[in-house]
Amino acid sequence: MSDPSVKQEIHDYIIGLAGDYREEMTTFTTLVAYVENNIIVNAEDVIRQLREEKELVG
């Protein structure tokens, strides 16, 4: 994660989430919890996709 382009992508991703965050429109009472949840959901999706691709190939 020391690659400048990766750092910039992470920065942009979090800034985008911060811009979308509205406490009154979510069950997450803090921006940090909102970002953490979003990262976890995206990681789960990537893992699911990789498993599906592996099953198709294997």
Side-chain angles (χ1 to χ4, degrees):
M1 288 226 249
S2 60
D3 183 310
S5 65
V6 172
K7 284 183 177 181
Q8 186 62 49
E9 285 183 44
I10 292 170
H11 175 269
D12 294 345
Y13 175 75
I14 293 172
I15 293 299
L17 288 175
D20 293 341
Y21 177 73
R22 301 287 180 269
E23 187 175 342
E24 64 277 359
M25 296 177 64
T26 183
T27 58
F28 299 100
T29 56
T30 67
L31 174 61
V32 172
Y34 179 73
V35 170
E36 288 174 339
N37 182 71
N38 197 286
I39 290 169
I40 291 168
V41 168
N42 285 330
E44 289 173 343
D45 287 342
V46 169
I47 292 168
R48 214 173 281 114
Q49 289 172 1
L50 290 172
R51 283 186 181 157
E52 290 172 2
E53 289 174 13
K54 183 178 178 182
E55 290 173 3
L56 289 175
V57 173

